[in-house]
Amino acid sequence: MSRLPVRVRLTAAFAVAMVLVLAGAGLFVYLRLKADLDESVTAGLHSRAGAVLAASSASAGAAGDAEEGFAQLLRPDGTVRDTSGGIRGAALGGSEARRAAAGEELLVERKVPGIEGTARVLAQGSGGSVVAVGQSLQDRDDTLGNVVASFAIGGPIAVILASLLGYALASAGLRPVEAMRRRAQEVSLAGGDERLPLPAAHDEVRRLGETLNEMLERLGRSFERERRFVADASHELRTPVAVIKAELEAALRAGGHDPQVHEALVASVEECDHLAQLAEDLLVIARATEAGVPVRPESLDLGELLDRVRGRFADRASERGRTIRVEAGDGGLVYADELRLRQALGNLVDNALRYGQGEIVLRSRGAASGLELEVSDEGPGFTPDFAERAFERFARGDLARTRDGTGLGLSIARAIAEGHGGRAEIVPGGGATVRIWLPAGPRDASGSSHMAGVASRSQGIDPIPGDGTR
């Protein structure tokens, strides 16, 4: 029962209540009518018995018709002196006649020969004689049967109609809740000041809606504070990390270091890259909306873009004995935000360097109504269980759990692709291949999205090699 919808449960409870009410009302009407009819029959028998006694003759007109009523004058031993009506034989036995002759009034119901159905018999004694008058109860039983039949037929119809009415009333009562549920499906913390609709009546449903709206307001304020904190913290981290990296690179260019010192400086520069990319990714997450990352698209040369990404990671790849190859074909153009697209591809190349093997290939080619950009390596690829959640934030595979990384690389790449109206996906097969599909021309974006991209560009957001998260 608890698994049924609320309106069905309310309707069922209403139907059960109606059944109980109708059953109680039917029983009351039945018993009340039976008592009234019995009282009427008994009063008629007393009147008839008085008339017979007054006339001292059983043939008086008080006997009634032959099928329904009768009157008898009996001796104290039970033998019949006179009779009228359709009765055959004595109405009373010998012991009953003696009791009536002794002054006791008898009122019994029994089957009487010649009388249809059960008869009610009244016996009174007077002057050494006994007067017995009776009346068939067939009419009373027929009347009570009609009442029972009426309730048996009309009761279920009344329950059905009442259930339909109860369902309609329950639906009307829950309509404000349904309206709040539909609005709740559309509410998001990043969607602005969205609130649940409130019914006009000041009832429990309205108080529930007001409580939920207050909760949404608290969550919205908390979400906004956290987003501002992440954005401010990541923005503030970029400058000191960039300064540290510049100093380390200057120390490397100065030369004259022991091998161990040189190796430590190289590792420190790489970790600075990771910290800078982490700060950049957190900034992207803080500014992302449900529509994706705000972008400022422009026409870009794909070949030149891929060459820049390769150049950024060429030194790291060489230190690890690996190569990065670009397959841009005839180049081509793409309408995208250069900074964001370089950031997405940088994350994918960094993942390939950290977790893949062999040569890394940056590939671009035309596709249906758009362009495809792929980053692939010759490593073991993605395990089936991880591939299903690879683009979720902070998702990391078994290999990534044993190394540095936050699990933001692929989620950032997908957010950037969706911000351009495209998508990101993992290509099944050997090695690890991640594909980004972008529309070929400008997408129909709102002016606010472009302005958001302008704001991000004006703050000097610049992609830095990946955070090492697959």
Side-chain angles (χ1 to χ4, degrees):
M1 185 70 174
S2 60
R3 297 182 179 180
L4 296 176
V6 174
R7 65 186 67 189
V8 174
R9 281 184 282 170
L10 290 175
T11 303
F14 190 73
V16 171
M18 283 297 301
V19 169
L20 295 177
V21 170
L22 288 176
L27 181 62
F28 173 80
V29 170
Y30 180 88
L31 296 177
R32 183 64 181 174
L33 180 61
K34 183 176 182 296
D36 290 343
L37 293 175
D38 287 344
E39 183 179 353
S40 176
V41 170
T42 302
L45 292 176
H46 277 97
S47 176
R48 188 178 302 175
V52 172
L53 289 173
S56 298
S57 174
S59 61
D65 62 49
E67 292 187 354
E68 294 185 353
F70 64 89
Q72 282 187 338
L73 189 62
L74 299 94
R75 298 182 181 88
D77 61 357
T79 58
V80 178
R81 290 176 54 189
D82 197 1
T83 185
S84 67
I87 186 174
R88 297 190 299 271
L92 299 176
S95 61
E96 292 175 331
R98 286 190 291 272
R99 290 166 54 193
E104 181 181 353
E105 182 179 281
L106 298 180
L107 185 65
V108 295
E109 292 185 6
R110 61 178 53 167
K111 289 285 187 179
V112 177
I115 301 301
E116 183 180 3
T118 302
R120 176 170 291 181
V121 180
L122 174 66
Q124 293 178 342
S126 176
S129 299
V130 176
V131 175
V133 294
Q135 176 72 36
S136 173
L137 299 179
Q138 185 65 38
D139 290 344
R140 184 206 69 173
D141 294 341
D142 290 342
T143 300
L144 294 177
N146 291 334
V147 171
V148 173
S150 298
F151 273 96
I153 296 174
I157 296 176
V159 170
I160 293 174
L161 295 177
S163 299
L164 295 177
L165 178 60
Y167 187 85
L169 292 176
S171 299
L174 293 174
R175 191 172 294 118
V177 179
E178 179 64 18
M180 287 192 290
R181 185 196 65 81
R182 288 195 299 267
R183 178 65 64 82
Q185 287 182 317
E186 304 171 358
V187 170
S188 65
L189 293 176
D193 187 20
E194 297 186 70
R195 293 294 179 266
L196 303 180
L198 300 177
H202 291 271
D203 53 8
E204 292 81 359
V205 176
R206 183 182 179 90
R207 290 196 294 273
L208 173 62
E210 291 173 347
T211 302
L212 292 177
N213 281 337
E214 292 173 359
M215 180 188 69
L216 287 175
E217 186 176 357
R218 292 194 302 271
L219 290 175
R221 290 196 300 266
S222 176
F223 176 76
E224 187 60 29
R225 285 195 302 268
E226 291 182 3
R227 185 162 62 176
R228 285 199 302 267
F229 170 76
V230 172
D232 294 342
S234 58
H235 186 72
E236 293 297 328
L237 281 174
R238 293 171 67 249
T239 299
V241 170
V243 172
I244 294 173
K245 179 183 177 182
E247 295 294 335
L248 292 173
E249 289 177 342
L252 282 174
R253 287 193 298 270
H257 306 297
D258 293 336
Q260 292 181 344
V261 175
H262 182 272
E263 183 178 352
L265 291 174
V266 171
S268 298
V269 170
E270 185 173 339
E271 290 304 319
C272 284
D273 286 340
H274 296 161
L275 287 174
Q277 184 59 45
L278 175 59
E280 176 66 15
D281 288 344
L282 292 175
L283 189 60
V284 170
I285 290 175
R287 290 175 176 170
T289 64
E290 287 189 346
V293 177
V295 296
R296 183 187 178 186
E298 57 184 325
S299 182
L300 302 175
D301 183 275
L302 275 177
E304 182 179 351
L305 176 67
L306 297 182
D307 285 336
R308 289 181 179 177
V309 175
R310 178 183 58 181
R312 187 180 306 126
F313 292 92
D315 292 339
R316 286 180 56 190
S318 177
E319 292 175 1
R320 302 186 181 196
R322 300 174 62 184
T323 59
I324 301 176
R325 178 165 53 91
V326 172
E327 293 182 1
D330 296 332
L333 298 176
V334 63
Y335 197 75
D337 188 318
E338 180 180 3
L339 299 181
R340 291 288 171 241
L341 193 53
R342 286 170 57 191
Q343 182 181 4
L345 293 174
N347 280 349
L348 300 182
V349 174
D350 183 76
N351 283 342
L353 282 173
R354 293 171 62 83
Y355 307 112
Q357 298 174 6
E359 184 181 44
I360 300 173
V361 179
L362 292 171
R363 184 182 297 108
S364 67
R365 58 170 173 264
S369 303
L371 296 169
E372 291 179 349
L373 302 175
E374 290 184 354
V375 177
S376 61
D377 60 67
E378 300 172 354
F382 298 88
T383 59
D385 59 330
F386 177 67
E388 298 178 356
R389 55 184 179 85
F391 290 101
E392 297 177 3
R393 291 180 182 178
F394 307 107
R396 294 188 294 171
D398 294 336
L399 182 59
R401 294 179 189 279
T402 62
R403 305 183 184 180
D404 295 334
T406 59
L408 294 174
L410 290 177
S411 64
I412 294 298
R414 181 181 64 176
I416 291 174
E418 292 175 350
H420 287 83
R423 61 180 180 272
E425 59 186 358
I426 294 175
V427 181
T433 302
V434 180
R435 177 184 298 158
I436 295 178
W437 177 88
L438 299 176
R443 78 182 175 102
D444 186 14
S446 64
S448 60
S449 174
H450 290 285
M451 291 305 295
V454 172
S456 65
R457 179 71 62 88
S458 66
Q459 294 181 10
I461 301 173
D462 203 16
I464 307 174
D467 72 333
T469 57
R470 172 165 285 178

Coordinates of all heavy atoms in Angstrom, one line a residue, residues 95-173:
S95 N -50.7 -26.2 25.3 CA -50.0 -25.5 26.4 C -50.1 -24.0 26.2 O -50.3 -23.2 27.2 CB -48.5 -25.9 26.5 OG -47.8 -25.6 25.3
E96 N -50.0 -23.5 25.0 CA -50.0 -22.1 24.7 C -51.4 -21.6 25.0 O -51.6 -20.5 25.5 CB -49.6 -21.8 23.2 CG -48.2 -22.0 23.0 CD -47.8 -21.9 21.5 OE1 -48.7 -22.1 20.6 OE2 -46.6 -21.5 21.2
A97 N -52.5 -22.4 24.6 CA -53.9 -22.0 24.8 C -54.1 -21.9 26.3 O -54.8 -20.9 26.8 CB -54.8 -22.9 24.2
R98 N -53.6 -22.8 27.1 CA -53.8 -22.8 28.6 C -53.1 -21.5 29.2 O -53.7 -20.9 30.1 CB -53.3 -24.0 29.2 CG -54.2 -25.2 28.9 CD -53.8 -26.4 29.8 NE -52.6 -27.0 29.4 CZ -52.4 -27.9 28.4 NH1 -53.5 -28.4 27.8 NH2 -51.2 -28.4 28.1
R99 N -52.0 -21.2 28.7 CA -51.3 -20.0 29.2 C -52.0 -18.8 28.9 O -52.1 -17.8 29.7 CB -49.8 -20.0 28.7 CG -48.9 -21.0 29.2 CD -47.7 -21.1 28.3 NE -47.0 -19.8 28.2 CZ -46.0 -19.6 27.3 NH1 -45.6 -20.6 26.5 NH2 -45.5 -18.4 27.3
A100 N -52.6 -18.7 27.7 CA -53.3 -17.5 27.3 C -54.6 -17.4 28.1 O -55.1 -16.3 28.5 CB -53.6 -17.6 25.8
A101 N -55.3 -18.6 28.3 CA -56.5 -18.6 29.1 C -56.3 -18.2 30.5 O -57.2 -17.6 31.2 CB -57.2 -20.0 29.1
A102 N -55.1 -18.4 31.1 CA -54.7 -18.0 32.4 C -54.4 -16.5 32.5 O -54.1 -16.0 33.6 CB -53.5 -18.8 32.9
G103 N -54.5 -15.8 31.4 CA -54.3 -14.4 31.4 C -53.0 -13.9 30.9 O -52.7 -12.7 30.8
E104 N -52.1 -14.8 30.4 CA -50.9 -14.4 29.8 C -51.0 -14.0 28.3 O -51.7 -14.8 27.6 CB -49.8 -15.5 29.9 CG -48.5 -15.2 29.4 CD -47.5 -16.3 29.5 OE1 -47.9 -17.3 30.2 OE2 -46.4 -16.2 29.0
E105 N -50.5 -12.9 27.9 CA -50.6 -12.5 26.5 C -49.4 -13.1 25.8 O -48.2 -12.9 26.2 CB -50.5 -11.0 26.3 CG -50.6 -10.5 24.9 CD -50.7 -9.0 24.8 OE1 -51.7 -8.4 25.0 OE2 -49.6 -8.4 24.5
L106 N -49.6 -13.8 24.7 CA -48.6 -14.4 23.9 C -48.4 -13.7 22.5 O -49.4 -13.3 21.9 CB -49.0 -15.9 23.6 CG -49.1 -16.8 24.8 CD1 -49.5 -18.2 24.4 CD2 -47.9 -16.8 25.6
L107 N -47.2 -13.6 22.1 CA -46.9 -13.0 20.8 C -45.7 -13.8 20.2 O -44.6 -13.8 20.7 CB -46.4 -11.5 21.0 CG -46.2 -10.8 19.6 CD1 -47.5 -10.7 18.9 CD2 -45.6 -9.4 19.9
V108 N -46.0 -14.6 19.2 CA -45.1 -15.5 18.6 C -45.1 -15.4 17.1 O -46.1 -14.9 16.5 CB -45.4 -17.0 19.0 CG1 -45.3 -17.2 20.5 CG2 -46.8 -17.4 18.5
E109 N -44.0 -15.8 16.5 CA -43.8 -15.8 15.0 C -43.6 -17.3 14.6 O -42.7 -17.9 15.1 CB -42.7 -14.9 14.6 CG -43.0 -13.4 14.8 CD -41.9 -12.6 14.2 OE1 -41.0 -13.1 13.5 OE2 -41.9 -11.3 14.4
R110 N -44.4 -17.8 13.7 CA -44.2 -19.1 13.3 C -44.9 -19.3 11.9 O -45.6 -18.4 11.4 CB -44.9 -20.1 14.3 CG -46.4 -19.8 14.4 CD -47.0 -20.8 15.4 NE -46.3 -20.7 16.6 CZ -46.8 -21.3 17.7 NH1 -48.0 -21.8 17.7 NH2 -46.2 -21.3 18.9
K111 N -44.6 -20.5 11.3 CA -45.3 -20.9 10.1 C -46.7 -21.4 10.5 O -46.9 -22.3 11.3 CB -44.5 -22.0 9.4 CG -43.2 -21.6 8.8 CD -43.5 -20.8 7.5 CE -42.2 -20.4 6.8 NZ -42.4 -19.7 5.5
V112 N -47.7 -20.9 9.8 CA -49.1 -21.3 10.1 C -49.7 -21.8 8.8 O -49.6 -21.2 7.7 CB -49.9 -20.1 10.6 CG1 -51.4 -20.5 10.8 CG2 -49.3 -19.5 11.9
P113 N -50.2 -23.0 8.8 CA -50.8 -23.6 7.6 C -51.9 -22.7 7.0 O -52.8 -22.2 7.8 CB -51.4 -24.9 8.1 CG -50.6 -25.3 9.3 CD -50.3 -24.0 10.0
G114 N -51.8 -22.5 5.7 CA -52.8 -21.7 5.0 C -52.4 -20.2 4.9 O -53.1 -19.4 4.2
I115 N -51.4 -19.8 5.6 CA -50.9 -18.4 5.6 C -49.6 -18.3 4.9 O -48.7 -19.1 5.2 CB -50.8 -17.8 7.0 CG1 -52.2 -17.9 7.8 CG2 -50.4 -16.4 7.0 CD1 -53.3 -17.2 7.1
E116 N -49.5 -17.4 4.0 CA -48.2 -17.3 3.2 C -47.1 -16.7 4.1 O -47.3 -15.7 4.7 CB -48.5 -16.4 2.0 CG -47.3 -16.2 1.1 CD -47.6 -15.3 -0.1 OE1 -48.7 -14.8 -0.2 OE2 -46.7 -15.2 -1.0
G117 N -45.9 -17.3 4.0 CA -44.8 -16.9 4.8 C -44.9 -17.1 6.3 O -45.8 -17.8 6.7
T118 N -44.1 -16.4 7.0 CA -44.1 -16.4 8.4 C -45.2 -15.5 8.9 O -45.5 -14.4 8.4 CB -42.8 -16.0 9.0 OG1 -41.8 -16.8 8.5 CG2 -42.8 -16.1 10.5
A119 N -46.0 -15.9 10.0 CA -47.1 -15.2 10.6 C -46.7 -14.8 12.0 O -46.0 -15.5 12.7 CB -48.4 -16.0 10.5
R120 N -47.2 -13.6 12.4 CA -47.1 -13.2 13.8 C -48.5 -13.4 14.4 O -49.5 -12.9 13.9 CB -46.7 -11.7 13.9 CG -46.7 -11.2 15.3 CD -46.0 -9.9 15.4 NE -44.6 -9.9 15.1 CZ -43.8 -8.9 15.1 NH1 -44.2 -7.7 15.3 NH2 -42.5 -9.1 14.8
V121 N -48.5 -14.2 15.6 CA -49.7 -14.6 16.2 C -49.8 -13.9 17.6 O -48.8 -14.0 18.4 CB -49.8 -16.1 16.4 CG1 -51.1 -16.5 17.1 CG2 -49.7 -16.8 15.0
L122 N -50.9 -13.3 17.9 CA -51.2 -12.7 19.2 C -52.3 -13.4 19.8 O -53.4 -13.6 19.2 CB -51.6 -11.2 19.0 CG -52.0 -10.5 20.3 CD1 -50.8 -10.4 21.3 CD2 -52.6 -9.1 20.0
A123 N -52.1 -13.9 21.1 CA -53.2 -14.7 21.8 C -53.5 -14.0 23.1 O -52.6 -13.6 23.9 CB -52.7 -16.1 22.0
Q124 N -54.8 -13.8 23.4 CA -55.3 -13.2 24.6 C -56.5 -14.1 25.2 O -57.3 -14.6 24.4 CB -55.7 -11.8 24.4 CG -54.6 -10.8 24.1 CD -55.1 -9.4 23.8 OE1 -56.3 -9.2 23.6 NE2 -54.2 -8.5 23.9
G125 N -56.6 -14.2 26.5 CA -57.7 -14.9 27.1 C -58.7 -14.0 27.6 O -58.4 -12.9 28.1
S126 N -60.0 -14.4 27.5 CA -61.1 -13.6 28.0 C -62.3 -14.5 28.3 O -62.8 -15.1 27.3 CB -61.5 -12.5 27.0 OG -62.6 -11.7 27.5
G127 N -62.8 -14.5 29.5 CA -64.1 -15.3 29.8 C -64.0 -16.7 29.5 O -64.9 -17.3 29.0
G128 N -62.9 -17.4 29.8 CA -62.7 -18.8 29.6 C -62.5 -19.2 28.1 O -62.4 -20.3 27.8
S129 N -62.3 -18.2 27.2 CA -62.0 -18.4 25.8 C -60.7 -17.7 25.5 O -60.2 -16.8 26.2 CB -63.1 -17.8 24.9 OG -64.4 -18.5 25.2
V130 N -60.1 -18.2 24.4 CA -58.8 -17.6 24.0 C -59.0 -17.1 22.5 O -59.5 -17.8 21.7 CB -57.7 -18.7 24.0 CG1 -56.4 -18.1 23.4 CG2 -57.5 -19.2 25.4
V131 N -58.6 -15.9 22.3 CA -58.7 -15.2 21.0 C -57.3 -15.2 20.4 O -56.4 -14.7 21.1 CB -59.3 -13.8 21.1 CG1 -59.2 -13.2 19.7 CG2 -60.7 -13.9 21.6
A132 N -57.1 -15.8 19.3 CA -55.8 -15.8 18.6 C -56.0 -15.1 17.2 O -56.8 -15.5 16.4 CB -55.3 -17.2 18.4
V133 N -55.3 -14.0 17.0 CA -55.3 -13.3 15.7 C -53.9 -13.3 15.2 O -52.9 -13.3 15.9 CB -55.8 -11.9 15.9 CG1 -57.3 -11.9 16.3 CG2 -55.0 -11.1 16.9
G134 N -53.8 -13.4 13.9 CA -52.4 -13.4 13.2 C -52.4 -12.6 12.0 O -53.4 -12.3 11.4
Q135 N -51.1 -12.3 11.6 CA -50.9 -11.5 10.3 C -49.6 -12.0 9.7 O -48.6 -12.3 10.3 CB -50.7 -10.0 10.7 CG -50.4 -9.1 9.6 CD -51.6 -8.9 8.6 OE1 -52.7 -8.8 9.1 NE2 -51.3 -8.9 7.3
S136 N -49.7 -12.2 8.4 CA -48.6 -12.6 7.6 C -47.5 -11.5 7.6 O -47.8 -10.3 7.4 CB -49.0 -13.0 6.2 OG -47.8 -13.3 5.4
L137 N -46.3 -11.9 7.7 CA -45.1 -11.0 7.6 C -44.5 -10.9 6.3 O -43.4 -10.4 6.1 CB -44.1 -11.3 8.7 CG -44.6 -11.3 10.2 CD1 -43.4 -11.8 11.1 CD2 -45.1 -10.0 10.6
Q138 N -45.2 -11.4 5.3 CA -44.6 -11.5 3.9 C -44.4 -10.0 3.4 O -43.3 -9.7 2.8 CB -45.5 -12.2 3.0 CG -45.0 -12.4 1.6 CD -43.7 -13.3 1.6 OE1 -43.6 -14.3 2.3 NE2 -42.8 -12.9 0.7
D139 N -45.3 -9.1 3.6 CA -45.2 -7.8 3.1 C -44.0 -7.1 3.8 O -43.2 -6.3 3.2 CB -46.4 -7.0 3.4 CG -47.6 -7.4 2.4 OD1 -47.3 -8.1 1.4 OD2 -48.7 -7.1 2.7
R140 N -43.9 -7.3 5.2 CA -42.7 -6.8 5.9 C -41.4 -7.3 5.3 O -40.4 -6.5 5.1 CB -42.9 -7.1 7.4 CG -41.8 -6.5 8.2 CD -41.5 -7.3 9.5 NE -40.9 -8.5 9.2 CZ -40.4 -9.4 10.1 NH1 -40.6 -9.1 11.4 NH2 -39.9 -10.5 9.8
D141 N -41.3 -8.6 5.1 CA -40.1 -9.2 4.6 C -39.8 -8.7 3.2 O -38.6 -8.4 2.9 CB -40.2 -10.7 4.6 CG -40.3 -11.3 6.0 OD1 -39.9 -10.5 7.0 OD2 -40.7 -12.4 6.2
D142 N -40.8 -8.5 2.4 CA -40.6 -8.0 1.0 C -40.1 -6.5 1.1 O -39.2 -6.1 0.3 CB -41.9 -8.0 0.2 CG -42.3 -9.4 -0.1 OD1 -41.4 -10.3 -0.1 OD2 -43.5 -9.6 -0.5
T143 N -40.6 -5.8 2.0 CA -40.2 -4.4 2.1 C -38.7 -4.3 2.6 O -37.9 -3.5 2.0 CB -41.1 -3.6 3.1 OG1 -42.4 -3.6 2.7 CG2 -40.6 -2.2 3.3
L144 N -38.4 -5.1 3.6 CA -37.0 -5.1 4.0 C -36.1 -5.7 3.0 O -34.9 -5.2 2.8 CB -36.9 -6.0 5.3 CG -37.6 -5.5 6.5 CD1 -37.5 -6.5 7.7 CD2 -37.1 -4.1 7.0
G145 N -36.5 -6.6 2.2 CA -35.7 -7.2 1.1 C -35.4 -6.1 0.0 O -34.3 -6.0 -0.5
N146 N -36.5 -5.3 -0.3 CA -36.3 -4.2 -1.2 C -35.2 -3.2 -0.7 O -34.5 -2.6 -1.5 CB -37.6 -3.5 -1.5 CG -38.6 -4.4 -2.3 OD1 -38.1 -5.3 -3.0 ND2 -39.9 -4.2 -2.1
V147 N -35.3 -2.9 0.6 CA -34.3 -2.0 1.1 C -32.9 -2.5 1.0 O -32.0 -1.8 0.6 CB -34.7 -1.7 2.6 CG1 -33.5 -0.9 3.3 CG2 -36.0 -0.9 2.7
V148 N -32.7 -3.8 1.3 CA -31.4 -4.4 1.2 C -30.9 -4.4 -0.3 O -29.8 -4.1 -0.6 CB -31.4 -5.9 1.7 CG1 -30.1 -6.6 1.5 CG2 -31.7 -5.9 3.2
A149 N -31.8 -4.7 -1.2 CA -31.5 -4.7 -2.6 C -31.1 -3.3 -3.1 O -30.1 -3.1 -3.9 CB -32.6 -5.3 -3.5
S150 N -31.8 -2.3 -2.6 CA -31.5 -0.9 -3.0 C -30.1 -0.6 -2.5 O -29.3 0.1 -3.2 CB -32.5 0.0 -2.4 OG -33.8 -0.3 -2.9
F151 N -29.7 -0.9 -1.3 CA -28.4 -0.6 -0.8 C -27.3 -1.4 -1.5 O -26.2 -1.0 -1.8 CB -28.3 -0.9 0.7 CG -28.7 0.3 1.6 CD1 -30.0 0.4 2.0 CD2 -27.9 1.3 1.8 CE1 -30.4 1.5 2.8 CE2 -28.2 2.4 2.6 CZ -29.5 2.5 3.1
A152 N -27.7 -2.7 -1.8 CA -26.7 -3.6 -2.6 C -26.4 -3.0 -3.9 O -25.3 -3.2 -4.4 CB -27.3 -5.0 -2.6
I153 N -27.4 -2.4 -4.6 CA -27.2 -1.9 -5.9 C -26.7 -0.5 -5.9 O -25.7 -0.1 -6.6 CB -28.5 -2.0 -6.7 CG1 -28.9 -3.4 -7.0 CG2 -28.3 -1.3 -8.1 CD1 -30.3 -3.6 -7.6
G154 N -27.3 0.3 -5.1 CA -26.9 1.8 -5.0 C -25.6 2.0 -4.3 O -24.9 3.0 -4.6
G155 N -25.3 1.1 -3.3 CA -24.1 1.3 -2.5 C -22.8 1.3 -3.4 O -22.0 2.2 -3.3
P156 N -22.6 0.2 -4.2 CA -21.4 0.2 -5.0 C -21.3 1.4 -6.0 O -20.3 2.0 -6.2 CB -21.5 -1.1 -5.8 CG -22.3 -2.0 -4.9 CD -23.3 -1.1 -4.2
I157 N -22.5 1.8 -6.6 CA -22.5 2.9 -7.5 C -22.1 4.2 -6.7 O -21.3 5.0 -7.2 CB -23.9 3.1 -8.1 CG1 -24.2 1.8 -9.0 CG2 -24.0 4.4 -8.9 CD1 -25.6 1.9 -9.5
A158 N -22.6 4.3 -5.5 CA -22.3 5.5 -4.7 C -20.8 5.5 -4.3 O -20.1 6.6 -4.4 CB -23.1 5.6 -3.4
V159 N -20.2 4.3 -4.0 CA -18.8 4.2 -3.7 C -18.0 4.6 -4.9 O -16.9 5.3 -4.8 CB -18.5 2.8 -3.2 CG1 -17.0 2.6 -3.1 CG2 -19.1 2.6 -1.8
I160 N -18.4 4.1 -6.1 CA -17.6 4.4 -7.3 C -17.6 5.9 -7.6 O -16.6 6.5 -7.9 CB -18.1 3.6 -8.5 CG1 -17.9 2.1 -8.3 CG2 -17.5 4.1 -9.8 CD1 -18.5 1.2 -9.4
L161 N -18.8 6.5 -7.5 CA -18.9 7.9 -7.8 C -18.1 8.7 -6.7 O -17.4 9.7 -7.1 CB -20.4 8.4 -7.8 CG -21.2 7.8 -8.9 CD1 -22.7 8.2 -8.8 CD2 -20.7 8.2 -10.3
A162 N -18.2 8.3 -5.5 CA -17.5 9.0 -4.4 C -16.0 8.8 -4.6 O -15.2 9.7 -4.3 CB -17.9 8.4 -3.1
S163 N -15.5 7.6 -5.1 CA -14.1 7.4 -5.3 C -13.6 8.3 -6.4 O -12.5 8.9 -6.3 CB -13.9 6.0 -5.7 OG -14.2 5.1 -4.6
L164 N -14.4 8.4 -7.5 CA -14.0 9.3 -8.6 C -13.9 10.8 -8.1 O -13.0 11.5 -8.4 CB -15.0 9.2 -9.8 CG -15.0 7.9 -10.5 CD1 -16.1 7.9 -11.6 CD2 -13.7 7.6 -11.1
L165 N -14.9 11.2 -7.3 CA -14.9 12.5 -6.7 C -13.7 12.7 -5.8 O -13.0 13.7 -5.8 CB -16.2 12.8 -6.0 CG -16.3 14.1 -5.3 CD1 -16.1 15.3 -6.3 CD2 -17.6 14.2 -4.5
G166 N -13.4 11.6 -5.0 CA -12.2 11.7 -4.1 C -10.9 11.8 -4.9 O -10.0 12.5 -4.5
Y167 N -10.8 11.0 -6.0 CA -9.6 11.1 -6.8 C -9.4 12.5 -7.4 O -8.3 13.1 -7.4 CB -9.7 10.1 -7.9 CG -8.4 10.0 -8.7 CD1 -7.4 9.1 -8.3 CD2 -8.2 10.7 -9.9 CE1 -6.2 9.0 -9.0 CE2 -7.1 10.6 -10.6 CZ -6.0 9.7 -10.2 OH -4.9 9.7 -10.9
A168 N -10.6 13.1 -7.9 CA -10.5 14.5 -8.4 C -10.1 15.5 -7.3 O -9.3 16.4 -7.6 CB -11.8 14.8 -9.0
L169 N -10.7 15.3 -6.1 CA -10.3 16.2 -5.0 C -8.8 16.0 -4.6 O -8.1 17.0 -4.4 CB -11.2 16.0 -3.8 CG -12.7 16.4 -4.0 CD1 -13.5 16.0 -2.8 CD2 -12.8 17.9 -4.3
A170 N -8.4 14.8 -4.6 CA -7.0 14.5 -4.2 C -6.0 15.1 -5.3 O -5.0 15.7 -5.0 CB -6.7 13.0 -4.1
S171 N -6.4 15.0 -6.6 CA -5.6 15.5 -7.6 C -5.6 17.1 -7.5 O -4.5 17.7 -7.7 CB -6.1 15.1 -9.0 OG -6.1 13.7 -9.1
A172 N -6.7 17.7 -7.2 CA -6.8 19.1 -7.1 C -5.9 19.6 -5.9 O -5.2 20.6 -6.0 CB -8.2 19.6 -7.0
G173 N -6.0 18.8 -4.8 CA -5.2 19.2 -3.6 C -3.7 19.0 -3.8 O -2.9 19.8 -3.3

